[in-house]
Amino acid sequence: MSYNIYLYDTDQDCIGSGPLSSSYIQYQLETAAGQDVEVHISSVGGSAFDAIAIYDLLKKYPGKVTTYIDALAASAASVVAMAGQTVIMSKYALLMIHKPMVGSGGNADELLKDVQMLNVVQQRLAQIYVDKTGLDGVTVNSLINSVTWLSADQALDLGFIDAIEDYSAEITNSTLIQNYTSAAPAVYRRCINKLLTKNNNNNMNMENQQLIEKTTSVLDKIMNYFKKVVNKQTITDKGTLHHCGALDEGTEVYQDADMTQPASPDTYTTSTGSKVAVKGGQVQKVTPPLSDPDADPDTTQDDDDAAPSDQFKKAKPGDVQNKIESIKAKLHAQNALLSEARAALEAANARLSKTREEVKNEIKSTFTPPTGGSKRSNKAQTEQTPFFAPTSTLAKNAVKKAISK
């Protein structure tokens, strides 16, 4: 049975004070005495130094440590959450990371020392996130600078957590796969999590699925059309042979118009008397009729392939007009099919572009910590309203890269 530790904020205490201080957590771990520990977190944060101390205590603990984000792990509390060998987040919870802050006063030299100290602290916090997620430092620091709020699905995709608690006892294929891949490197787990994440109610995914099906249908039409264009038929005593090009040695022959079933091994006699030996779906030998030794074995030339001068010599005026109309109809069918394909591909490109923009705007920050009237300790009131935001092109690109995955 696991030993439970609850890091839940109270009206007076948060990370760094009371039952949420590093000294009290040390006492709790000594009491657990090597048992598996489950740490439940619901906190807006507090002291970054106490958070790092608690993180170290949990990392050094000899038993298995599982951290649960029950409602909120913000600021310093998010650092504590990263200490679990397995990090589980409620599907209703939120995770927030931002730059470390300090409330101080003094002259320029004293303020400069505070700035230097905050930069060092941010480097340490960023390293904890990097170690957990496997993301690069530029990306993590950009997320920190932007005051980033993450839902459970977003935290899972970025690698901040390992699983989402959805209160369902149903055993699914996804659950079984995650059990076997839990020890894989973080970058592989993130890829697997993206594949396994359920988005059944996501209208965007439904629209994309419909778009894919429509585009696939158009491409199928194109393929079938050109199959019919290149498909030639030779009538024999044992049925029709379908093939491309001339009926020569080595030509592949089929029994069906879709050209999927190879012709049966046999010797076929064409309407002109030529003998066609077929084996393994290919023409092995073509023997012209005895009455015309020099005859061309290709008996499949249709009206479209015949020389125009020969056609017009044999054809009547009405036949010529019908032939012209037939050619016009084929050209019209080709143009209509290509227009449909172009429209489908343009719609797909527009939809995919729109999807990327929606994903880029998916992670938004509206964090405004309490500034007055709080009953928390002075230590906890060091959380000030954030005023940092990425300004450099590098930082902005890193944020876009992180949230567009």
Side-chain angles (χ1 to χ4, degrees):
M1 184 175 180
S2 300
Y3 185 88
N4 292 300
I5 298 176
Y6 290 87
L7 296 179
Y8 282 8
D9 285 353
T10 67
D11 288 341
Q12 292 79 31
D13 301 303
C14 60
I15 301 295
S17 63
L20 290 82
S21 65
S22 56
S23 59
Y24 189 76
I25 298 303
Q26 181 183 17
Y27 167 76
Q28 293 270 53
L29 293 176
E30 290 175 353
T31 303
Q35 300 180 63
D36 290 348
V37 169
E38 293 183 356
V39 182
H40 296 264
I41 302 170
S42 180
S43 173
V44 299
S47 167
F49 296 110
D50 261 63
I52 294 175
I54 296 173
Y55 175 89
D56 285 337
L57 287 170
L58 295 175
K59 279 294 187 182
K60 295 174 182 177
Y61 183 71
K64 180 181 178 181
V65 176
T66 304
T67 53
Y68 289 85
I69 302 174
D70 291 339
L72 173 66
S75 188
S78 67
V79 176
V80 176
M82 300 298 104
Q85 296 174 18
T86 303
V87 183
I88 301 174
M89 185 172 178
S90 166
K91 64 179 179 180
Y92 307 112
L94 291 171
L95 177 73
M96 188 275 284
I97 61 176
H98 70 143
K99 294 175 75 72
M101 302 176 186
V102 64
S104 62
N107 59 37
D109 292 336
E110 293 170 335
L111 293 175
L112 182 59
K113 290 180 180 178
D114 286 341
V115 171
Q116 294 172 342
M117 180 270 292
L118 288 172
N119 287 334
V120 172
V121 173
Q122 178 166 335
Q123 291 176 4
R124 298 301 87 211
L125 299 179
Q127 189 60 52
I128 290 174
Y129 297 132
V130 168
D131 291 343
K132 174 59 184 173
T133 63
L135 298 171
D136 59 89
V138 174
T139 299
V140 168
N141 277 289
S142 297
L143 294 172
I144 292 174
N145 295 340
S146 300
V147 190
T148 302
W149 286 87
L150 298 172
S151 67
D153 287 338
Q154 293 164 342
L156 185 65
D157 287 342
L158 290 173
F160 285 92
I161 65 172
D162 301 302
I164 298 174
E165 189 174 28
D166 60 3
Y167 314 109
S168 173
E170 179 183 359
I171 303 299
T172 63
N173 289 336
S174 299
T175 304
L176 296 175
I177 293 173
Q178 287 175 336
N179 288 339
Y180 284 105
T181 59
S182 59
V187 63
Y188 297 114
R189 291 204 307 272
R190 286 202 304 277
C191 293
I192 293 170
N193 288 334
K194 287 182 179 180
L195 294 175
L196 299 181
T197 299
K198 295 181 179 179
N199 291 305
N200 294 331
N201 296 324
N202 193 322
N203 292 331
M204 182 177 66
N205 286 349
M206 291 297 294
E207 292 176 8
N208 284 346
Q209 183 63 31
Q210 294 172 0
L211 186 63
I212 291 171
E213 291 175 355
K214 182 177 180 181
T215 305
T216 302
S217 175
V218 173
L219 294 176
D220 287 341
K221 289 181 181 179
I222 293 175
M223 292 302 298
N224 291 334
Y225 179 83
F226 285 107
K227 275 185 180 180
K228 293 179 181 178
V229 170
V230 300
N231 182 6
K232 294 188 177 182
Q233 302 178 8
T234 299
I235 299 175
T236 73
D237 60 334
K238 297 181 178 65
T240 303
L241 294 178
H242 300 268
H243 53 94
C244 297
L247 194 63
D248 297 325
E249 292 184 10
T251 300
E252 295 182 350
V253 287
Y254 301 86
Q255 293 180 346
D256 60 324
D258 291 333
M259 302 175 72
T260 58
Q261 297 180 351
S264 302
D266 207 336
T267 299
Y268 299 81
T269 303
T270 68
S271 58
T272 60
S274 297
K275 303 289 185 179
V276 181
V278 175
K279 184 178 180 181
Q282 292 185 339
V283 175
Q284 302 297 313
K285 184 178 180 181
V286 178
T287 305
L290 296 177
S291 59
D292 186 6
D294 299 326
D296 186 355
D298 181 9
T299 62
T300 66
Q301 187 179 53
D302 57 21
D303 291 340
D304 290 341
D305 295 329
S309 58
D310 294 338
Q311 293 184 48
F312 289 116
K313 287 178 181 178
K314 299 176 182 179
K316 298 179 181 179
D319 295 336
V320 172
Q321 184 63 33
N322 291 337
K323 190 65 177 179
I324 293 174
E325 294 300 326
S326 175
I327 294 173
K328 287 183 178 179
K330 289 183 179 181
L331 292 175
H332 178 74
Q334 292 179 19
N335 291 335
L337 187 59
L338 292 175
S339 297
E340 184 180 357
R342 180 190 297 175
L345 294 175
E346 288 177 351
N349 184 59
R351 179 59 197 163
L352 292 175
S353 298
K354 179 181 177 183
T355 300
R356 285 194 292 271
E357 292 301 322
E358 290 176 352
V359 173
K360 287 180 182 179
N361 297 325
E362 192 173 319
I363 301 178
K364 298 182 179 179
S365 171
T366 57
F367 174 64
T368 305
T371 56
S374 174
K375 297 180 181 180
R376 301 185 185 280
S377 64
N378 292 333
K379 195 171 187 179
Q381 291 178 359
T382 60
E383 299 274 333
Q384 300 296 325
T385 303
F387 57 90
F388 299 91
T391 56
S392 68
T393 302
L394 180 62
K396 291 178 180 178
N397 290 340
V399 173
K400 291 179 180 179
K401 177 182 176 183
I403 65 178
S404 62
K405 289 184 177 181

